[in-house]
Amino acid sequence: MINCSLKALGQMLAKKQVSSVELTQEFLNRIDTLNPEINAYIALDKNKSLAQAKAADIRIAAGSAAPLTGIPIAQKDIFCATGWKTTCGSKMLANFVAPYDAHVISQFDAAGAVNLGKTNMDEFAMGSSNETSYFGGVKNPWDFTRVPGGSSGGSAAAVAARMCAAATGTDTGGSIRQPASLCGFTGLKPTYGVVSRYGMIAFASSLDQAGPMAKSAEDCALMMNVMAGFDERDSTSLQRDKEDYTRDLNKPLNGLRVGLPKEFFADGLDANVAKVVETAIAEYKKLGAEIVEISLPNTGLSIPVYYVLAPAEASSNLSRYDGVRYGHRAAEYTDLMDMYCKSRAEGFGAEVKRRILIGTYVLSAGYYDAYYLKAQQIRRLIAQDFEEAFKHCDVIMGPAAPSTAFKAGEKVDDPVAMYLQDIYTISTNLAGLPGMSIPAGFSAGSDGKALPVGLQIIGNYFDEARMLNVAHQYQQVTDWHTRMPELNTLKEVA
Amino acid sequence: MEWEVVIGLETHTQLQTKTKIFSGASTAFGSEPNTQACEVSLAFPGVLPVLNKEAVNCAIKFGLAVNAQITPRSVFARKNYFYPDLPKGYQISQYELPVVGKGMITIQVPAVGKNPAYEKVVNITRAHLEEDAGKSVHGAVEGMSGIDLNRAGTPLLEIVTEPDMRSAAEAVAYAKKLHELVQWIGICDGNMQEGSFRCDVNVSVRPKGTDKLGTRREIKNLNSFKFMQQAIEFETRWQIETLEDGGTISQATVLFNPDTGETRAMRSKEEANDYRYFPDPDLLPLEITEADKDRVRAQMPELPEAMKARFEADFGLTSYDAASLTSSLDLANYFVATVHAGADAKPAANWVMGAVSAKLNAEEKSIAQSPLTAVQLASLIKRIMDNTISNNAAKQVFEALWNGEGGVDAIIEAKGLKQVSDTGAIEAIIDEVLAANAAMVEEFKAGKEKAFNALVGQAMKASKGKANPAQVNEMLKKKLGA
Amino acid sequence: MALSIEDIKKIAHLARIEVSESDAAATLTKLTGILGLIEQMQAVDTKGIAPMSHSQDVVQRLREDVVTKTNQREAFQKVAPVLGNGSTDQAVDSGLYLVPKVIE
């Protein structure tokens, strides 16, 4: 049951083969078993989850179920949910119980989904390995010595280890797609503005976008049907007609033009990863796709641009954590200045502080033009690269991450090396384009263990339905997305 | 050396909206602390701003009122600094592209001593939308400040002038004019005690005849015109004395102490600020089209300058009278209503600016609170115009009207103030007076002009003030063959 | 644009983050590395290119001026921080948030 698609689970619930309470309990049991090791969840509240499940069962019985009614979903701890601890992976918010719901949370509530728990993440979504979390790292279910990627590492591990039916994530520079690649599942970052950011704790406002993390493209489509939609509380939420993201899943791919950016296959890409991606592309040819070579010449600049813009926005977004109204306040302080400086020094971890400092620096007097303004100009060049590319292709494909999952601790002291993890994902955030990662095979890690590899699919603005179609068709002829890590040994221990 | 003071103003006007600039929390003044601080006002995690349409309308109104360029696409920026009354750690304001660009305001500087009154144009540099901060309350708990964020997020229009003013009088005249204007166009209630209209004044001095601006000091948060006058005068003297004593002025933010009449530098603002402005990624460019401007223009009252010119042309009022009557829209409307109700414009202007304004001042009431309606005032003036009552009697009627003693005619009747205009009755009185004052008649005939006035006085007295003085005059002249 | 210890202290102060002497040195190394990465931008000629703040060319939506928020002080102040300096009370009094005295 834990490996069933959302559609299958929905059918089982509808036919009363299983109740939402039973399904929720099954996942909670699995979490009980696996979470102490994997650390995918920061907060669990069984009573709350089961109460929602009970309500879902009543709704199902009443015949008013929606597609996700009764299905247990893991929520990244970046989304405020009333009555739930919402920490954003930070000591700063370790005791923050949200008094309101994020738009994403209310959408799932309205759909009758069950909130299974809040998942671990890099602190304030700043990281690519989940190692910056105040609540400890998360283990990659395929190899416990490795990271799950980040920042949505908890959701990633939860999906990969089947500790939830599906999960939510957020992606500012690759935080859905890179963990999807490293943990072997399907993750989608929608077009910027498609999912409301209200109640989603901000990292870099102009780049942050929430999206689904699930086993398959079809599951992601069902999740998108719940998550996407206009919200008047977010000025950047786009006013568009409601879409059915499942509508094109079954379209054949004949004549699909797939663009391969040469910059995505250059130096820096692990050869084994490259091989898996090439094999996947060969599969697409068989499905009728036509391959077009394209160029995204400014790809290399996306990292420097990102590491100006994201920290600049973050340095300002995180100024509200001052120990005055909520969050961590230092235990001892002499005056107001001391209270600010100590509370923030204690409440934030090293990476968050680094980014606040970088952001403060690039915005400070005399440096604005050389850094911030320049980065915004290059951001346009990057967006123009994609605009040009999409004249020649329908979707762009390439790796989602330059390597398979790396060892915990390997890059933690080398921020620059860590930042390079996002080389293939960041540019879509800068352009505001949708991107996804789907499981495309495995590659042997340095110690011989098979580790998942993701194929990235980048679409034009609002082309999520087509991307899901492209992913779904691949998943009809491959079974990578159904593979799950062997976690039986753990079960026996428990 | 002769010195010249150079003054520019930055005025924070709280806009008259029901809700905050970026959230649906109420802006009502005086509620219990933090009861109007919603999650957006409190900068809770994950919340986002959405711009209030009415705040934008207010900005457009102001732009149109001062003939300013209105920016087709203005941008909100974050001004970053830490302060407990600033919950986000940044203020959402406008920096490079403010909603209102260059404009101008004509001010009337009143006569002082031998210096006559004059008009002057003050250039507006810009006006931008931003959010107000909360308030710090001191003294509730020893050694602590209490933070109330009810005011946080109240919409402000910050109106910035060029350094165009050259005296405290000019600065105050500008501030008063601006104060009148923002109320006139209905964007600000003008309540200075509640902080709805707060002026920061930049003051510098330089040797007269030189062009280079001196170093300025900014006097913060002046909340009365009297304090503004005092603060500028003190600050100007202090700067001149400092320079004359060989000292230098360093840029500073200063506060005015009304008790001592002195200014002093603020301690908390000593360190140089680096506000790290950048465009707010949570907000999109604010677009204002020609159609938006037309829509707002259609809702706006006639502007004071236009109305003043009309009063001069249509009613033959002096520039001074027309300016006084157009100092507030309510006052101007009251005057117009009085005229529309049948009063002649000149006496209407005199009554409105004279007796009515004096009464309102004495009772600290606004024209809107006047117990005397424009229609009542008009009927009173009409009774003077048709000779029913004398000007003197009118004063008594006015008092009675003010005190709510009834309608004009009823009061005239009840108090027996009706003027005698019956020729026969007046002739009889005059005949009596002439008979009783033969000596005076002789004096007049001998060439003493004064005696004539004395005889008029006697006749008025004999009529108990009710005789029509013009008729008395005329008939007396006839009788005396003058 | 080489960064110095003084720069670190200055920006840490602007950001209101206490940085000890030893932290400052370590931070300097890391930040210098990150700035090295960022410096790649300087090689690009961006003359005449309009800066891009948002990915979609859309303008600000306006909200009707209608009160939609009610008083939720109690709920919001439930998560107020602990006062500190020996007190385990929450940093609120009579509905006000308490901070060390603000000096003007």
Side-chain angles (χ1 to χ4, degrees):
Chain A
M1 199 156 58
I2 53 159
N3 205 23
C4 285
S5 71
L6 295 183
K7 195 171 162 186
L9 288 175
Q11 283 164 352
M12 288 160 76
L13 286 165
K15 290 180 188 158
K16 315 272 169 38
Q17 290 164 335
V18 68
S19 71
S20 174
V21 169
E22 287 161 353
L23 185 62
T24 303
Q25 192 58 59
E26 167 121 4
F27 278 111
L28 287 172
N29 291 345
R30 191 165 168 85
I31 293 167
D32 272 346
T33 310
L34 298 178
N35 202 54
E37 186 70 26
I38 296 178
N39 200 25
Y41 287 87
I42 293 175
L44 292 161
D45 189 331
K46 290 177 190 180
N47 293 336
K48 266 206 180 76
S49 302
L50 289 169
Q52 276 189 307
K54 209 171 276 173
D57 283 331
I58 292 167
R59 184 166 163 181
I60 294 165
S64 56
L68 294 191
T69 303
I71 295 181
I73 305 290
Q75 300 288 353
K76 185 174 181 179
D77 202 26
I78 200 167
F79 296 105
C80 290
T82 310
W84 285 84
K85 246 182 202 181
T86 301
T87 70
C88 219
S90 181
K91 179 182 179 185
M92 184 57 87
L93 292 175
N95 296 309
F96 181 73
V97 178
Y100 46 83
D101 286 324
H103 185 254
V104 163
I105 297 289
S106 353
Q107 294 288 94
F108 278 106
D109 282 353
V114 173
N115 184 348
L116 199 51
K118 306 293 288 291
T119 58
N120 206 339
M121 55 182 286
D122 277 300
E123 184 180 7
F124 285 103
M126 297 178 194
S128 306
S129 67
N130 213 106
E131 290 168 290
T132 72
S133 170
Y134 174 66
F135 301 93
V138 174
K139 285 178 178 160
N140 188 318
W142 294 94
D143 178 348
F144 284 179
T145 66
R146 295 176 187 271
V147 301
S151 66
S152 314
S155 285
V159 174
R162 308 306 193 244
M163 294 159 79
C164 60
T168 57
T170 60
D171 188 317
T172 305
S175 288
I176 288 175
R177 292 161 289 159
Q178 183 255 14
S181 180
L182 271 49
C183 289
F185 61 91
T186 309
L188 168 67
K189 179 205 96 76
T191 305
Y192 181 85
V194 162
V195 178
S196 168
R197 294 183 296 115
Y198 194 86
M200 180 179 118
I201 298 177
F203 159 20
S205 312
S206 79
L207 305 166
D208 296 342
Q209 184 61 206
M213 301 171 78
K215 294 184 288 284
S216 66
E218 183 191 58
D219 284 5
C220 282
L222 289 168
M223 292 281 282
M224 278 297 286
N225 282 350
V226 171
M227 295 176 78
F230 173 65
D231 175 16
E232 60 182 13
R233 296 170 301 177
D234 174 0
S235 293
T236 61
S237 171
L238 298 166
Q239 271 169 305
R240 295 171 51 80
D241 292 337
K242 197 86 179 144
E243 281 185 50
D244 176 7
Y245 289 94
T246 64
R247 67 184 188 272
D248 291 335
L249 287 177
N250 295 315
K251 277 192 179 171
L253 298 186
N254 288 332
L256 178 80
R257 295 173 304 161
V258 174
L260 300 184
K262 59 178 189 226
E263 293 80 6
F264 279 32
F265 296 89
D267 286 353
L269 177 63
D270 177 283
N272 291 324
V273 170
K275 212 175 286 169
V276 171
V277 170
E278 278 154 20
T279 309
I281 287 159
E283 193 64 44
Y284 272 103
K285 274 195 218 165
K286 284 193 226 160
L287 287 167
E290 175 196 326
I291 305 302
V292 188
E293 185 171 309
I294 56 160
S295 175
L296 298 169
N298 292 297
T299 299
L301 288 164
S302 61
I303 288 191
V305 166
Y306 179 85
Y307 280 96
V308 171
L309 298 182
E313 292 182 15
S315 70
S316 177
N317 283 335
L318 271 60
S319 291
R320 67 188 58 199
Y321 308 108
D322 57 5
V324 174
R325 301 163 310 286
Y326 54 81
H328 178 75
R329 183 185 288 203
E332 299 288 334
Y333 48 88
T334 56
D335 57 15
L336 181 65
M337 177 65 80
D338 195 47
M339 185 191 95
Y340 280 148
C341 294
K342 282 211 174 81
S343 300
R344 288 167 60 79
E346 295 168 6
F348 294 135
E351 179 62 19
V352 169
K353 284 191 261 192
R354 270 199 288 278
R355 297 207 196 181
I356 291 175
L357 294 178
I358 284 284
T360 304
Y361 179 69
V362 298
L363 289 173
S364 64
Y367 297 107
Y368 181 85
D369 286 2
Y371 290 123
Y372 190 83
L373 195 68
K374 185 101 185 171
Q376 279 206 324
Q377 290 174 310
I378 303 177
R379 181 179 185 182
R380 187 169 298 279
L381 294 178
I382 290 166
Q384 285 170 351
D385 283 356
F386 281 108
E387 202 183 322
E388 181 59 32
F390 279 118
K391 288 177 186 162
H392 310 287
C393 61
D394 303 312
V395 291
I396 293 169
M397 287 187 191
S403 66
T404 51
F406 49 92
K407 294 269 183 190
E410 190 182 317
K411 299 182 199 288
V412 78
D413 284 323
D414 186 351
V416 172
M418 188 73 89
Y419 297 173
L420 290 171
Q421 270 296 306
D422 296 331
I423 178 81
Y424 305 125
T425 47
I426 275 180
S427 53
T428 53
N429 296 83
L430 291 169
L433 290 164
M436 64 190 296
S437 175
I438 61 171
F442 290 83
S443 154
S446 49
D447 46 9
K449 260 194 186 166
L451 295 169
V453 173
L455 170 75
Q456 185 174 204
I457 305 169
I458 299 167
N460 212 334
Y461 298 108
F462 311 113
D463 236 358
E464 288 85 353
R466 190 209 297 253
M467 293 157 65
L468 289 162
N469 161 235
V470 169
H472 182 70
Q473 288 305 305
Y474 178 81
Q475 290 176 343
Q476 298 310 294
V477 295
T478 60
D479 68 352
W480 305 116
H481 64 289
T482 64
R483 307 278 182 99
M484 53 188 274
E486 283 294 326
L487 296 165
N488 295 336
T489 44
L490 264 178
K491 256 188 178 168
E492 280 159 23
V493 171
Chain B
M1 187 176 350
E2 221 188 316
W3 295 88
E4 177 177 59
V5 61
V6 176
I7 303 164
L9 264 76
E10 290 168 20
T11 308
H12 290 90
T13 54
Q14 274 183 359
L15 300 176
Q16 261 177 310
T17 57
K18 292 185 195 73
T19 62
K20 295 186 177 179
I21 185 166
F22 296 119
S23 77
S26 168
T27 52
F29 181 83
S31 303
E32 285 294 304
N34 291 312
T35 54
Q36 284 172 184
C38 67
E39 61 271 32
V40 177
S41 317
L42 291 169
F44 264 52
V47 301
L48 295 167
V50 183
L51 184 57
N52 183 340
K53 185 190 229 169
E54 195 48 39
V56 176
N57 286 342
C58 289
I60 298 174
K61 279 183 191 170
F62 179 76
L64 293 173
V66 299
N67 263 314
Q69 303 152 5
I70 292 173
T71 313
R73 270 194 176 205
S74 63
V75 170
F76 286 91
R78 293 184 182 179
K79 179 180 183 180
N80 293 283
Y81 66 96
F82 285 86
Y83 211 68
D85 65 10
L86 186 73
K88 292 189 296 300
Y90 59 85
Q91 179 194 32
I92 305 178
S93 181
Q94 296 190 299
Y95 186 53
E96 282 184 342
L97 288 168
V99 59
V100 175
K102 287 185 193 309
M104 57 180 68
I105 289 184
T106 304
I107 63 169
Q108 283 81 31
V109 187
V112 181
K114 276 183 280 176
N115 299 325
Y118 59 97
E119 282 197 347
K120 172 167 180 154
V121 169
V122 173
N123 289 291
I124 303 295
T125 313
R126 61 184 282 164
H128 62 257
L129 284 166
E130 62 181 27
E131 55 181 344
D132 209 342
K135 281 178 182 167
S136 305
V137 181
H138 308 293
V141 175
E142 177 64 24
M144 306 292 280
S145 292
I147 306 300
D148 174 11
L149 297 168
N150 280 347
R151 197 181 68 173
T154 299
L156 296 176
L157 188 68
E158 180 174 343
I159 301 158
V160 182
T161 72
E162 292 292 306
D164 281 352
M165 287 145 282
R166 294 291 175 269
S167 66
E170 285 186 4
V172 170
Y174 162 77
K176 281 186 174 166
K177 181 76 191 188
L178 182 67
H179 188 242
E180 289 165 12
L181 181 65
V182 293
Q183 293 178 82
W184 183 286
I185 59 176
I187 65 169
C188 174
D189 68 14
N191 191 325
M192 296 177 81
Q193 271 65 50
E194 291 178 6
S196 302
F197 186 90
R198 318 194 288 269
C199 295
D200 299 342
V201 185
N202 285 300
V203 179
S204 66
V205 297
R206 63 184 174 194
K208 201 158 191 163
T210 59
D211 286 337
K212 200 169 160 270
L213 289 171
T215 304
R216 67 190 161 87
R217 304 215 312 165
E218 183 182 18
I219 315 169
K220 273 266 179 219
N221 278 336
L222 292 165
N223 64 359
S224 90
F225 299 124
K226 195 178 106 192
F227 292 161
M228 180 185 292
Q229 177 97 25
Q230 289 173 0
I232 296 172
E233 283 170 355
F234 177 86
E235 179 65 23
T236 307
R237 273 199 310 276
W238 181 87
Q239 289 191 18
I240 292 172
E241 280 166 19
T242 302
L243 292 172
E244 284 182 342
D245 291 348
T248 52
I249 308 289
S250 39
Q251 199 165 322
T253 305
V254 303
L255 288 176
F256 176 69
N257 181 344
D259 298 329
T260 60
E262 294 179 356
T263 55
R264 69 162 172 87
M266 280 173 82
R267 272 184 283 176
S268 58
K269 299 267 177 170
E270 267 168 23
E271 65 178 275
N273 272 310
D274 183 346
Y275 291 123
R276 291 158 283 137
Y277 281 100
F278 74 104
D280 191 332
D282 287 332
L283 291 160
L284 299 165
L286 168 61
E287 185 176 69
I288 297 173
T289 62
E290 286 305 315
D292 292 328
K293 285 192 252 179
D294 290 343
R295 178 179 48 78
V296 171
R297 195 179 279 119
Q299 304 163 357
M300 282 174 68
E302 183 182 17
L303 291 171
E305 287 299 309
M307 199 180 272
K308 173 176 174 277
R310 190 160 60 81
F311 283 2
E312 290 176 42
D314 293 1
F315 302 134
L317 299 184
T318 62
S319 172
Y320 180 84
D321 286 356
S324 302
L325 286 171
T326 53
S327 65
S328 94
L329 185 56
D330 284 343
L331 190 69
N333 284 340
Y334 188 93
F335 164 71
V336 169
T338 308
V339 174
H340 279 171
D344 276 354
K346 276 188 186 170
N350 290 337
W351 277 93
V352 171
M353 290 184 300
V356 175
S357 290
K359 268 283 186 200
L360 291 174
N361 274 341
E363 297 180 12
E364 294 185 343
K365 281 183 175 145
S366 73
I367 189 78
Q369 299 164 309
S370 171
L372 180 69
T373 66
V375 174
Q376 284 177 313
L377 178 62
S379 28
L380 171 63
I381 293 169
K382 279 190 282 186
R383 287 293 165 265
I384 304 167
M385 283 156 56
D386 67 12
N387 289 326
T388 305
I389 52 172
S390 67
N391 273 320
N392 267 335
K395 281 174 194 156
Q396 292 179 57
V397 179
F398 174 78
E399 285 291 335
L401 282 171
W402 194 271
N403 297 327
E405 290 170 26
V408 172
D409 289 336
I411 292 169
I412 293 171
E413 194 61 41
K415 294 194 182 280
L417 295 172
K418 202 164 186 177
Q419 189 162 249
V420 178
S421 300
D422 170 5
T423 326
I426 291 174
E427 188 168 11
I429 290 169
I430 287 179
D431 285 344
E432 253 175 64
V433 168
L434 292 179
N437 295 284
M440 271 187 203
V441 174
E442 283 311 310
E443 279 177 33
F444 174 74
K445 285 185 170 159
K448 260 198 169 175
E449 291 285 329
K450 260 192 185 167
F452 182 80
N453 292 337
L455 286 167
V456 172
Q458 288 297 325
M460 290 306 292
K461 199 173 162 190
S463 79
K464 294 189 180 119
K466 284 189 238 170
N468 181 333
Q471 272 180 302
V472 170
N473 243 300
E474 204 178 315
M475 194 165 294
L476 198 56
K477 273 182 190 165
K478 212 196 261 170
K479 293 259 172 193
L480 294 171
Chain C
M1 285 178 245
L3 219 50
S4 68
I5 285 276
E6 285 314 305
D7 291 330
I8 299 289
K9 287 183 181 165
K10 199 188 114 207
I11 56 178
H13 176 72
L14 269 178
R16 300 292 187 269
I17 293 175
E18 189 177 72
V19 178
S20 68
E21 287 293 330
S22 58
D23 283 354
T27 303
L28 176 64
T29 314
K30 294 245 161 69
L31 260 51
T32 301
I34 298 168
L35 281 178
L37 188 71
I38 292 171
E39 282 309 314
Q40 291 173 34
M41 292 195 314
Q42 305 309 334
V44 185
D45 180 9
T46 52
K47 210 174 278 167
I49 295 166
M52 177 172 161
S53 296
H54 294 100
S55 53
Q56 302 287 325
D57 187 26
V58 277
V59 296
Q60 181 61 39
R61 183 162 27 83
L62 302 177
R63 183 177 57 75
E64 292 300 324
D65 185 26
V66 178
V67 176
T68 55
K69 302 286 184 185
T70 50
N71 174 22
Q72 288 195 68
R73 186 172 80 181
E74 203 182 321
F76 293 151
Q77 296 197 339
K78 245 181 219 157
V79 293
V82 167
L83 187 57
N85 281 340
S87 168
T88 51
D89 294 344
Q90 278 192 304
V92 283
D93 181 74
S94 318
L96 297 162
Y97 290 102
L98 293 181
V99 297
K101 201 171 163 87
V102 176
I103 301 159
E104 286 190 334

